[in-house]
């Protein structure tokens, strides 16, 4: 907390800051903090990145942390019914189609992708708002995918969720005390007279005035409401928190404060986060590990440095080109923006082979014929693309042919045996497939 | 440095009130204002609503204390001997001592007596009010409870449950109410008219008939509302924390349904008051007892209307005033509950 509020004059003339001010995204003045108590620094009218970097260093990756949640080949197909009296199932929305990942204990995994790619569905599967069509979700030695609702109930204490819209996630007819205390009553964990002290303690933790427990949600601002939602999620001391775009409904200046709060909570209570966001800017400071989703599949997953500095998937590269970069903006440079042509195809009838091929500028015949496997190509880096490579250095021939036993056009080579053995494990192998040598290498 | 940074964001913007220090005495008093309380405050500022509420209250008091008020005026439902009060030679109109239309006003019978039977009009009016409100209130209560439960279940559970319940809603909506009432009346009459409790049975069955054909509107309204509420994230939050479905229905959803419930009650009450009178007039409602509709039936003859119009106006005025004020009050309540028409 060494920042002097007056210092903000020095950071103002960045291109990003100026644009944001024009767009009216930020509130000017000294009252941007929505926190009560001494949690927050008064940050004045700074923009998101500066606030986020302010006092809170980006979360670090602990490569040896055990996985608290292991998701393997998770699938969710929603039936599509015909209209009319006899409603037959005429197809399926393949909202989530075979995704695998691990959330490390006390760590946080970012899940990023355009809207409609299945992020929320993934979050709702983990919190078992939906029962998955297939796959497994191992938590604490149990498979959440197979449990009945009754068996699930005790585990619900450990897996909680923070919702996207602070205006619909709180019951408007309940007081803050009732909302935050409800989990305690549902699980009968403390006697009735101990509920209020716990509620007040939680309100204090999330930076709200503990005396406001008898107020209704309509008396709070968006940022404060989101803090109430966070308090509710923390009530039962969860081990895993799914945060579904927790700041995308908030004012830019408030976003960073809420992210900082989540970061404090994570370090203080050792909660593991699955942090869902629709762009890469938000997860940057929060998630040491990031998965990029497209149309129900993970197309690239890796640690932060790899995803931001050496993305290998054309889709990740396109997403990243849309993220304003403060440091580059300050020196007057800007990444070339890659525009994605066309719309996201329907998840009811996704494209064959690689699902991104309808919008990919590198797509070739093989992409339509064979689905690219999610291949580990680095110590903590997996990518699903036949032509995986850094921007401007995509290989001319597919890198996956030997593994899949196909030729450059994607037709099977007679007699070739696919040597691919390491495709679907949720975590990382000790060895990986090196793109340059086309050999399996290790440390 | 945190203390100075506490700006309006920190204090929460209270929708209706100006910004102020949350720790001041004033702030403590206004804290914890639920949306329903805000609506009630808005209602209190509506003059028409207040007047209508007073009128409704007047009728409620008349109904609740019909016996006491009758005693106060020294009138009763009992008629000693019709010939003491009415003049058989003059079309059965009241004798001059009984007050208007033949004689001057008398405190003995402030509203006069009925022609032919000589029954006291005030006593019959008060007890008619009681029957009317009693039947309308009970029928509304039953119809609301049935409608709310069915709407909640259909909307929240969805799927097959919703299909079956929606089918019943549509089925009951297609049956013409009057036809059903006209058919049921003789059946019930035949079955029970020898019973000593016939008046009670008649009222009970009237309540049932009204409720049976009144719950669908509420059920539809609630179902639609629940369909929208179900998608709200607070319901999902309740699911994620493992809240049982019954608790979600009655603790999370029901408080949010106060507005549609009040709206359907405000529509049903006046409709049932009018229907009760209408059915009594048609001779299929309360026929064996006291009812405004019965009085209107007796009064609506050319002779009496010419010679003794007050006899018809008294119950008619009661019905019109009650139904009108209930309707206007309902309108005001609906306005107050709807934030879009906030004035
Ligand atoms: N309950 C549902 N029934 C049918 N389709 C759904 C349902 N929920 C989501 N979908 C579909 O699944 C896809 C993924 O949705 P979602 O997970 O909400 O995406 P995101 O959160 O990434 O924006 C979308 O095409 C959406 O239309
Ligand atoms: S597999 Fe082909 S279509 Fe898919 S991202 Fe790679 S190059 Fe593009
Ligand atoms: Mg979403």
């Amino acid at each position: 907390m060494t920042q002097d509020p007056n210092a903000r004059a020095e950071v103002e003339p960045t291109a990003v800051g100026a644009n944001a001010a024009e767009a009216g995204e930020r509130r000017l003045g000294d009252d941007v903090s929505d926190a009560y108590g001494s949690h927050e620094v008064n940050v004045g009218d700074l923009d998101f990145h500066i606030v986020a970097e302010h006092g809170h260093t980006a979360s670090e990756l602990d490569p040896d942390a055990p996985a608290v949640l292991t998701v393997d080949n998770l699938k969710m197909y929603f039936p599509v019914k015909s209209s009319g009296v006899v409603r037959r199932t005429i197809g399926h929305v393949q909202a989530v189609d075979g995704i695998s990942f691990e959330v490390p204990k006390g760590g946080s995994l970012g899940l990023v992708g355009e809207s409609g790619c299945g992020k929320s569905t993934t979050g709702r599967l983990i919190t078992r708002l939906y029962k998955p069509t297939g796959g497994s979700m191992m938590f604490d030695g149990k498979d959440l995918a197979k449990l009945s609702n009754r068996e699930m109930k005790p585990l619900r204490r450990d897996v909680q969720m923070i919702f996207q819209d602070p205006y619909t996630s709180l019951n408007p007819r309940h007081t803050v005390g009732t909302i935050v205390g409800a989990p305690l009553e549902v699980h009968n964990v403390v006697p009735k007279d101990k509920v209020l002290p716990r509620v007040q303690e939680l309100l204090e933790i999330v930076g709200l005035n503990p005396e406001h427990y008898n107020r209704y949600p309509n008396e709070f601002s968006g940022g404060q409401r989101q803090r109430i939602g966070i308090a509710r999620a923390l009530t039962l001391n969860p081990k895993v928190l799914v945060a579904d775009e927790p700041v995308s409904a908030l004012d830019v200046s408030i976003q960073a404060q809420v992210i900082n709060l989540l970061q404090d909570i994570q370090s203080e209570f050792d909660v593991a986060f699955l942090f869902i966001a629709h762009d890469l800017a938000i997860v940057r400071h929060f998630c040491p590990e990031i998965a990029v989703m497209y149309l129900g599949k993970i197309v690239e997953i890796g640690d932060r440095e790899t995803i931001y500095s050496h993305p290998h998937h054309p889709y990740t590269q396109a997403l990243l080109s849309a993220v304003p970069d403060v440091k580059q903006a300050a020196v007057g440079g800007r990444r070339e923006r890659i525009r994605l042509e066309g719309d996201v195809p329907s998840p009811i009838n996704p494209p064959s082979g690689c699902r991104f091929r309808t919008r990919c500028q590198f797509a070739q015949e093989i992409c339509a014929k064979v689905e690219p496997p999610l291949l580990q190509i680095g110590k903590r880096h997996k990518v699903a693309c036949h032509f995986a490579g850094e921007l401007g250095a995509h290989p001319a021939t597919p890198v996956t042919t030997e593994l899949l036993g196909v030729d450059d056009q994607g037709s099977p080579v007679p007699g070739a045996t696919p040597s691919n053995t390491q495709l679907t494990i949720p975590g990382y192998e000790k060895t990986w497939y090196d793109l340059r040598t086309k050999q399996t290498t290790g440390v | 440095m945190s203390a100075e940074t506490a700006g309006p964001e920190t204090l929460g913007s209270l929708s209706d009130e100006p910004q102020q220090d949350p720790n001041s005495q004033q702030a403590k008093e206004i804290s914890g204002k639920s949306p329903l309380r805000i609506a009630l405050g808005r209602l209190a500022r509506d003059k028409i609503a207040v007047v209508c509420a007073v009128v409704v209250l007047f009728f409620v008091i008349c109904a609740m204390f019909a016996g006491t008020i009758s005693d106060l005026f020294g009138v009763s439902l009992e008629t000693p001997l019709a010939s003491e009060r009415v003049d058989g030679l003059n079309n059965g109109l009241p004798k001059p001592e009984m007050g208007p239309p033949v004689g001057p006003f008398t405190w003995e019978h402030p509203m006069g007596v009925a022609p032919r039977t000589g029954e006291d009009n005030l006593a019959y009016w008060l007890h008619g009010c009681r029957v009317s409100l009693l039947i309308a209130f009970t029928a509304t209560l039953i119809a609301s409870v049935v409608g709310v439960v069915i709407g909640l279940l259909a909307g929240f559970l969805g799927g097959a449950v919703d299909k079956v319940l929606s089918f019943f809603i549509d089925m009951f909506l297609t049956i013409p109410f009057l036809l059903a009432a006209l058919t049921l009346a003789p059946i019930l009459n035949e079955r029970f008219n020898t019973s000593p409790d016939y008046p009670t049975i008649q009222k009970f069955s009237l309540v049932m008939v009204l409720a049976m054909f009144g719950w669908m509107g509420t059920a539809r309204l609630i179902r639609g509302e629940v369909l929208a509420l179900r998608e709200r994230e607070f319901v999902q939050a309740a699911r994620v924390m493992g809240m049982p479905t019954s608790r979600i229905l009655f603790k999370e959803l029901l408080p949010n349904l106060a507005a549609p419930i009040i709206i359907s009650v405000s529509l049903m009450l006046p409709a049932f008051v009018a229907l009760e009178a209408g059915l009594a007039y048609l001779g299929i409602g309360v026929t064996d007892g006291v009812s405004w509709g019965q009085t209107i039936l007796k009064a609506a003859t050319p002779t009496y209307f010419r010679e003794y119009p007050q006899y018809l106006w008294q119950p008619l005025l009661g019905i019109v005033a009650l139904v009108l004020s209930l309707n206007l009050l309902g309108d005001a309540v609906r306005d107050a509950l709807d934030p879009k028409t906030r004035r």
Side-chain angles (χ1 to χ4, degrees), chain A residues 27 124 163 165 168 171 174 187 214 219 221 224, chain B residues 9-10 12 14 32 233-234 236 240-241 251-252 256:
Chain A
R27 207 175 295 203
R124 287 166 183 202
F163 291 88
D165 186 351
T168 72
N171 193 332
H174 287 174
H187 288 269
N214 62 350
E219 300 172 51
S221 70
Q224 292 173 322
Chain B
E9 274 287 323
T10 312
L14 297 154
E233 285 177 344
F234 71 81
Q236 286 161 13
V240 170
M241 72 176 74
K251 287 236 167 110
E252 296 285 329
N256 283 287

PDB file of all heavy atoms in Angstrom, chain A residues 27 124 163 165 168 171 174 187 214 219 221 224, chain B residues 9-10 12 14 32 233-234 236 240-241 251-252 256:
ATOM      1  N   ARG A  27     -15.170   5.315 -14.090  1.00  0.00           N
ATOM      2  CA  ARG A  27     -15.786   6.390 -13.347  1.00  0.00           C
ATOM      3  C   ARG A  27     -14.672   7.302 -12.902  1.00  0.00           C
ATOM      4  O   ARG A  27     -13.639   6.837 -12.425  1.00  0.00           O
ATOM      5  CB  ARG A  27     -16.444   5.780 -12.123  1.00  0.00           C
ATOM      6  CG  ARG A  27     -17.596   6.569 -11.627  1.00  0.00           C
ATOM      7  CD  ARG A  27     -18.206   5.787 -10.527  1.00  0.00           C
ATOM      8  NE  ARG A  27     -18.744   4.531 -11.052  1.00  0.00           N
ATOM      9  CZ  ARG A  27     -19.685   3.886 -10.414  1.00  0.00           C
ATOM     10  NH1 ARG A  27     -20.157   4.347  -9.294  1.00  0.00           N
ATOM     11  NH2 ARG A  27     -20.146   2.756 -10.898  1.00  0.00           N
ATOM     12  N   ARG A 124     -21.023 -25.530 -14.652  1.00  0.00           N
ATOM     13  CA  ARG A 124     -22.242 -26.097 -14.077  1.00  0.00           C
ATOM     14  C   ARG A 124     -22.167 -27.606 -13.960  1.00  0.00           C
ATOM     15  O   ARG A 124     -22.871 -28.205 -13.141  1.00  0.00           O
ATOM     16  CB  ARG A 124     -23.428 -25.705 -14.937  1.00  0.00           C
ATOM     17  CG  ARG A 124     -23.755 -24.247 -14.743  1.00  0.00           C
ATOM     18  CD  ARG A 124     -24.677 -23.741 -15.778  1.00  0.00           C
ATOM     19  NE  ARG A 124     -24.871 -22.320 -15.537  1.00  0.00           N
ATOM     20  CZ  ARG A 124     -25.912 -21.650 -15.973  1.00  0.00           C
ATOM     21  NH1 ARG A 124     -26.848 -22.271 -16.656  1.00  0.00           N
ATOM     22  NH2 ARG A 124     -26.030 -20.373 -15.713  1.00  0.00           N
ATOM     23  N   PHE A 163     -21.188 -16.465  -9.255  1.00  0.00           N
ATOM     24  CA  PHE A 163     -21.939 -16.314 -10.495  1.00  0.00           C
ATOM     25  C   PHE A 163     -21.565 -15.045 -11.242  1.00  0.00           C
ATOM     26  O   PHE A 163     -20.949 -14.128 -10.708  1.00  0.00           O
ATOM     27  CB  PHE A 163     -23.432 -16.350 -10.195  1.00  0.00           C
ATOM     28  CG  PHE A 163     -23.879 -17.716  -9.752  1.00  0.00           C
ATOM     29  CD1 PHE A 163     -23.825 -18.080  -8.421  1.00  0.00           C
ATOM     30  CD2 PHE A 163     -24.310 -18.643 -10.683  1.00  0.00           C
ATOM     31  CE1 PHE A 163     -24.207 -19.342  -8.027  1.00  0.00           C
ATOM     32  CE2 PHE A 163     -24.680 -19.900 -10.298  1.00  0.00           C
ATOM     33  CZ  PHE A 163     -24.647 -20.253  -8.967  1.00  0.00           C
ATOM     34  N   ASP A 165     -23.699 -12.734 -12.882  1.00  0.00           N
ATOM     35  CA  ASP A 165     -24.495 -11.512 -12.823  1.00  0.00           C
ATOM     36  C   ASP A 165     -24.871 -11.184 -11.374  1.00  0.00           C
ATOM     37  O   ASP A 165     -25.727 -11.835 -10.803  1.00  0.00           O
ATOM     38  CB  ASP A 165     -25.760 -11.707 -13.664  1.00  0.00           C
ATOM     39  CG  ASP A 165     -26.565 -10.425 -13.754  1.00  0.00           C
ATOM     40  OD1 ASP A 165     -26.234  -9.469 -13.037  1.00  0.00           O
ATOM     41  OD2 ASP A 165     -27.522 -10.395 -14.539  1.00  0.00           O
ATOM     42  N   THR A 168     -28.708 -10.860 -10.592  1.00  0.00           N
ATOM     43  CA  THR A 168     -29.670 -11.966 -10.481  1.00  0.00           C
ATOM     44  C   THR A 168     -29.177 -13.067  -9.548  1.00  0.00           C
ATOM     45  O   THR A 168     -29.895 -14.007  -9.272  1.00  0.00           O
ATOM     46  CB  THR A 168     -29.980 -12.605 -11.859  1.00  0.00           C
ATOM     47  OG1 THR A 168     -28.841 -13.342 -12.290  1.00  0.00           O
ATOM     48  CG2 THR A 168     -30.331 -11.560 -12.893  1.00  0.00           C
ATOM     49  N   ASN A 171     -30.959 -13.278  -4.092  1.00  0.00           N
ATOM     50  CA  ASN A 171     -32.417 -13.225  -4.000  1.00  0.00           C
ATOM     51  C   ASN A 171     -32.856 -11.845  -3.501  1.00  0.00           C
ATOM     52  O   ASN A 171     -32.537 -11.452  -2.380  1.00  0.00           O
ATOM     53  CB  ASN A 171     -32.904 -14.310  -3.033  1.00  0.00           C
ATOM     54  CG  ASN A 171     -34.396 -14.517  -3.122  1.00  0.00           C
ATOM     55  OD1 ASN A 171     -35.131 -13.590  -3.465  1.00  0.00           O
ATOM     56  ND2 ASN A 171     -34.843 -15.712  -2.820  1.00  0.00           N
ATOM     57  N   HIS A 174     -34.393 -11.459   0.081  1.00  0.00           N
ATOM     58  CA  HIS A 174     -33.698 -11.880   1.292  1.00  0.00           C
ATOM     59  C   HIS A 174     -32.670 -10.834   1.693  1.00  0.00           C
ATOM     60  O   HIS A 174     -32.081 -10.183   0.839  1.00  0.00           O
ATOM     61  CB  HIS A 174     -33.002 -13.219   1.071  1.00  0.00           C
ATOM     62  CG  HIS A 174     -33.961 -14.370   1.012  1.00  0.00           C
ATOM     63  ND1 HIS A 174     -33.565 -15.637   0.702  1.00  0.00           N
ATOM     64  CD2 HIS A 174     -35.283 -14.440   1.231  1.00  0.00           C
ATOM     65  CE1 HIS A 174     -34.606 -16.448   0.722  1.00  0.00           C
ATOM     66  NE2 HIS A 174     -35.661 -15.743   1.027  1.00  0.00           N
ATOM     67  N   HIS A 187     -26.875 -26.890   5.494  1.00  0.00           N
ATOM     68  CA  HIS A 187     -26.026 -28.013   5.896  1.00  0.00           C
ATOM     69  C   HIS A 187     -25.983 -28.196   7.410  1.00  0.00           C
ATOM     70  O   HIS A 187     -25.280 -29.072   7.892  1.00  0.00           O
ATOM     71  CB  HIS A 187     -24.612 -27.818   5.344  1.00  0.00           C
ATOM     72  CG  HIS A 187     -24.542 -28.016   3.865  1.00  0.00           C
ATOM     73  ND1 HIS A 187     -24.277 -29.214   3.288  1.00  0.00           N
ATOM     74  CD2 HIS A 187     -24.766 -27.155   2.848  1.00  0.00           C
ATOM     75  CE1 HIS A 187     -24.318 -29.102   1.973  1.00  0.00           C
ATOM     76  NE2 HIS A 187     -24.628 -27.851   1.681  1.00  0.00           N
ATOM     77  N   ASN A 214     -28.490  -6.750   7.661  1.00  0.00           N
ATOM     78  CA  ASN A 214     -29.951  -6.753   7.541  1.00  0.00           C
ATOM     79  C   ASN A 214     -30.452  -5.915   6.376  1.00  0.00           C
ATOM     80  O   ASN A 214     -31.623  -5.578   6.314  1.00  0.00           O
ATOM     81  CB  ASN A 214     -30.588  -6.290   8.851  1.00  0.00           C
ATOM     82  CG  ASN A 214     -30.183  -4.872   9.182  1.00  0.00           C
ATOM     83  OD1 ASN A 214     -29.290  -4.324   8.542  1.00  0.00           O
ATOM     84  ND2 ASN A 214     -30.821  -4.265  10.155  1.00  0.00           N
ATOM     85  N   GLU A 219     -29.888  -2.434  -2.134  1.00  0.00           N
ATOM     86  CA  GLU A 219     -29.245  -1.274  -1.530  1.00  0.00           C
ATOM     87  C   GLU A 219     -27.743  -1.242  -1.801  1.00  0.00           C
ATOM     88  O   GLU A 219     -27.045  -0.361  -1.309  1.00  0.00           O
ATOM     89  CB  GLU A 219     -29.500  -1.269  -0.023  1.00  0.00           C
ATOM     90  CG  GLU A 219     -30.986  -1.220   0.300  1.00  0.00           C
ATOM     91  CD  GLU A 219     -31.278  -1.408   1.779  1.00  0.00           C
ATOM     92  OE1 GLU A 219     -30.668  -0.698   2.581  1.00  0.00           O
ATOM     93  OE2 GLU A 219     -32.100  -2.267   2.111  1.00  0.00           O
ATOM     94  N   SER A 221     -24.277  -1.659  -4.575  1.00  0.00           N
ATOM     95  CA  SER A 221     -23.826  -1.495  -5.964  1.00  0.00           C
ATOM     96  C   SER A 221     -23.405  -2.851  -6.521  1.00  0.00           C
ATOM     97  O   SER A 221     -23.265  -3.825  -5.795  1.00  0.00           O
ATOM     98  CB  SER A 221     -22.655  -0.537  -5.997  1.00  0.00           C
ATOM     99  OG  SER A 221     -21.530  -1.149  -5.402  1.00  0.00           O
ATOM    100  N   GLN A 224     -20.396  -4.418  -4.862  1.00  0.00           N
ATOM    101  CA  GLN A 224     -20.706  -4.882  -3.513  1.00  0.00           C
ATOM    102  C   GLN A 224     -21.537  -6.154  -3.550  1.00  0.00           C
ATOM    103  O   GLN A 224     -21.354  -7.063  -2.746  1.00  0.00           O
ATOM    104  CB  GLN A 224     -21.456  -3.789  -2.753  1.00  0.00           C
ATOM    105  CG  GLN A 224     -20.588  -2.586  -2.467  1.00  0.00           C
ATOM    106  CD  GLN A 224     -21.398  -1.455  -1.875  1.00  0.00           C
ATOM    107  OE1 GLN A 224     -22.532  -1.216  -2.267  1.00  0.00           O
ATOM    108  NE2 GLN A 224     -20.827  -0.771  -0.919  1.00  0.00           N
TER     109      GLN A 224
ATOM    110  N   GLU B   9     -20.014   4.591  -3.198  1.00  0.00           N
ATOM    111  CA  GLU B   9     -19.952   3.184  -3.574  1.00  0.00           C
ATOM    112  C   GLU B   9     -19.934   2.310  -2.335  1.00  0.00           C
ATOM    113  O   GLU B   9     -20.529   1.256  -2.294  1.00  0.00           O
ATOM    114  CB  GLU B   9     -18.682   2.924  -4.378  1.00  0.00           C
ATOM    115  CG  GLU B   9     -18.816   3.187  -5.849  1.00  0.00           C
ATOM    116  CD  GLU B   9     -19.640   2.120  -6.528  1.00  0.00           C
ATOM    117  OE1 GLU B   9     -19.530   0.948  -6.164  1.00  0.00           O
ATOM    118  OE2 GLU B   9     -20.422   2.481  -7.408  1.00  0.00           O
ATOM    119  N   THR B  10     -19.204   2.781  -1.339  1.00  0.00           N
ATOM    120  CA  THR B  10     -19.054   2.000  -0.126  1.00  0.00           C
ATOM    121  C   THR B  10     -20.369   1.866   0.615  1.00  0.00           C
ATOM    122  O   THR B  10     -20.674   0.831   1.186  1.00  0.00           O
ATOM    123  CB  THR B  10     -18.050   2.703   0.801  1.00  0.00           C
ATOM    124  OG1 THR B  10     -16.927   3.040   0.026  1.00  0.00           O
ATOM    125  CG2 THR B  10     -17.673   1.814   1.932  1.00  0.00           C
ATOM    126  N   GLY B  12     -23.394   2.033  -0.511  1.00  0.00           N
ATOM    127  CA  GLY B  12     -24.520   1.406  -1.206  1.00  0.00           C
ATOM    128  C   GLY B  12     -25.529   2.469  -1.552  1.00  0.00           C
ATOM    129  O   GLY B  12     -25.918   3.283  -0.716  1.00  0.00           O
ATOM    130  N   LEU B  14     -28.920   3.678  -1.863  1.00  0.00           N
ATOM    131  CA  LEU B  14     -30.271   3.316  -1.466  1.00  0.00           C
ATOM    132  C   LEU B  14     -31.202   3.901  -2.504  1.00  0.00           C
ATOM    133  O   LEU B  14     -31.211   5.097  -2.732  1.00  0.00           O
ATOM    134  CB  LEU B  14     -30.557   3.900  -0.085  1.00  0.00           C
ATOM    135  CG  LEU B  14     -29.630   3.324   0.981  1.00  0.00           C
ATOM    136  CD1 LEU B  14     -29.450   4.261   2.118  1.00  0.00           C
ATOM    137  CD2 LEU B  14     -30.128   1.994   1.446  1.00  0.00           C
ATOM    138  N   GLY B  32     -32.712  -2.043   5.796  1.00  0.00           N
ATOM    139  CA  GLY B  32     -33.552  -3.218   5.766  1.00  0.00           C
ATOM    140  C   GLY B  32     -34.925  -2.960   5.198  1.00  0.00           C
ATOM    141  O   GLY B  32     -35.905  -3.481   5.695  1.00  0.00           O
ATOM    142  N   GLU B 233     -29.892 -16.608 -11.373  1.00  0.00           N
ATOM    143  CA  GLU B 233     -28.745 -17.300 -10.797  1.00  0.00           C
ATOM    144  C   GLU B 233     -28.905 -17.591  -9.317  1.00  0.00           C
ATOM    145  O   GLU B 233     -28.255 -18.478  -8.791  1.00  0.00           O
ATOM    146  CB  GLU B 233     -27.479 -16.483 -11.071  1.00  0.00           C
ATOM    147  CG  GLU B 233     -27.053 -16.620 -12.526  1.00  0.00           C
ATOM    148  CD  GLU B 233     -25.852 -15.785 -12.882  1.00  0.00           C
ATOM    149  OE1 GLU B 233     -25.527 -14.870 -12.112  1.00  0.00           O
ATOM    150  OE2 GLU B 233     -25.240 -16.046 -13.922  1.00  0.00           O
ATOM    151  N   PHE B 234     -29.795 -16.869  -8.629  1.00  0.00           N
ATOM    152  CA  PHE B 234     -29.903 -17.175  -7.193  1.00  0.00           C
ATOM    153  C   PHE B 234     -30.542 -18.536  -6.967  1.00  0.00           C
ATOM    154  O   PHE B 234     -30.286 -19.194  -5.953  1.00  0.00           O
ATOM    155  CB  PHE B 234     -30.603 -16.058  -6.417  1.00  0.00           C
ATOM    156  CG  PHE B 234     -32.084 -15.913  -6.659  1.00  0.00           C
ATOM    157  CD1 PHE B 234     -32.999 -16.733  -6.020  1.00  0.00           C
ATOM    158  CD2 PHE B 234     -32.561 -14.918  -7.505  1.00  0.00           C
ATOM    159  CE1 PHE B 234     -34.361 -16.577  -6.219  1.00  0.00           C
ATOM    160  CE2 PHE B 234     -33.911 -14.755  -7.718  1.00  0.00           C
ATOM    161  CZ  PHE B 234     -34.816 -15.591  -7.075  1.00  0.00           C
ATOM    162  N   GLN B 236     -29.943 -21.080  -8.977  1.00  0.00           N
ATOM    163  CA  GLN B 236     -28.817 -21.988  -9.188  1.00  0.00           C
ATOM    164  C   GLN B 236     -27.874 -21.975  -7.994  1.00  0.00           C
ATOM    165  O   GLN B 236     -27.336 -23.013  -7.614  1.00  0.00           O
ATOM    166  CB  GLN B 236     -28.084 -21.593 -10.464  1.00  0.00           C
ATOM    167  CG  GLN B 236     -28.900 -22.010 -11.669  1.00  0.00           C
ATOM    168  CD  GLN B 236     -28.495 -21.288 -12.916  1.00  0.00           C
ATOM    169  OE1 GLN B 236     -27.455 -20.642 -12.958  1.00  0.00           O
ATOM    170  NE2 GLN B 236     -29.316 -21.403 -13.937  1.00  0.00           N
ATOM    171  N   VAL B 240     -26.623 -25.117  -5.947  1.00  0.00           N
ATOM    172  CA  VAL B 240     -25.207 -25.429  -5.745  1.00  0.00           C
ATOM    173  C   VAL B 240     -24.912 -25.648  -4.269  1.00  0.00           C
ATOM    174  O   VAL B 240     -24.095 -26.473  -3.907  1.00  0.00           O
ATOM    175  CB  VAL B 240     -24.318 -24.304  -6.325  1.00  0.00           C
ATOM    176  CG1 VAL B 240     -22.882 -24.485  -5.911  1.00  0.00           C
ATOM    177  CG2 VAL B 240     -24.416 -24.274  -7.831  1.00  0.00           C
ATOM    178  N   MET B 241     -25.623 -24.918  -3.391  1.00  0.00           N
ATOM    179  CA  MET B 241     -25.344 -25.129  -1.973  1.00  0.00           C
ATOM    180  C   MET B 241     -26.118 -26.333  -1.433  1.00  0.00           C
ATOM    181  O   MET B 241     -26.014 -26.647  -0.259  1.00  0.00           O
ATOM    182  CB  MET B 241     -25.619 -23.853  -1.169  1.00  0.00           C
ATOM    183  CG  MET B 241     -27.071 -23.512  -1.004  1.00  0.00           C
ATOM    184  SD  MET B 241     -27.346 -22.060   0.049  1.00  0.00           S
ATOM    185  CE  MET B 241     -26.859 -20.726  -1.004  1.00  0.00           C
ATOM    186  N   LYS B 251     -39.056 -21.023   0.092  1.00  0.00           N
ATOM    187  CA  LYS B 251     -38.268 -19.968   0.740  1.00  0.00           C
ATOM    188  C   LYS B 251     -37.591 -19.044  -0.251  1.00  0.00           C
ATOM    189  O   LYS B 251     -37.367 -17.879   0.023  1.00  0.00           O
ATOM    190  CB  LYS B 251     -37.210 -20.597   1.662  1.00  0.00           C
ATOM    191  CG  LYS B 251     -37.804 -21.180   2.939  1.00  0.00           C
ATOM    192  CD  LYS B 251     -37.139 -20.568   4.160  1.00  0.00           C
ATOM    193  CE  LYS B 251     -37.898 -20.880   5.425  1.00  0.00           C
ATOM    194  NZ  LYS B 251     -37.191 -21.816   6.292  1.00  0.00           N
ATOM    195  N   GLU B 252     -37.193 -19.581  -1.410  1.00  0.00           N
ATOM    196  CA  GLU B 252     -36.495 -18.729  -2.379  1.00  0.00           C
ATOM    197  C   GLU B 252     -37.470 -18.137  -3.397  1.00  0.00           C
ATOM    198  O   GLU B 252     -37.421 -16.959  -3.699  1.00  0.00           O
ATOM    199  CB  GLU B 252     -35.405 -19.531  -3.102  1.00  0.00           C
ATOM    200  CG  GLU B 252     -34.285 -20.041  -2.204  1.00  0.00           C
ATOM    201  CD  GLU B 252     -33.313 -18.947  -1.791  1.00  0.00           C
ATOM    202  OE1 GLU B 252     -33.104 -17.993  -2.552  1.00  0.00           O
ATOM    203  OE2 GLU B 252     -32.772 -19.037  -0.672  1.00  0.00           O
ATOM    204  N   ASN B 256     -40.602 -14.139  -3.894  1.00  0.00           N
ATOM    205  CA  ASN B 256     -40.518 -13.355  -5.122  1.00  0.00           C
ATOM    206  C   ASN B 256     -41.820 -13.342  -5.898  1.00  0.00           C
ATOM    207  O   ASN B 256     -41.931 -12.681  -6.917  1.00  0.00           O
ATOM    208  CB  ASN B 256     -39.408 -13.915  -6.012  1.00  0.00           C
ATOM    209  CG  ASN B 256     -38.043 -13.499  -5.521  1.00  0.00           C
ATOM    210  OD1 ASN B 256     -37.661 -12.354  -5.654  1.00  0.00           O
ATOM    211  ND2 ASN B 256     -37.352 -14.413  -4.886  1.00  0.00           N
TER     212      ASN B 256
END
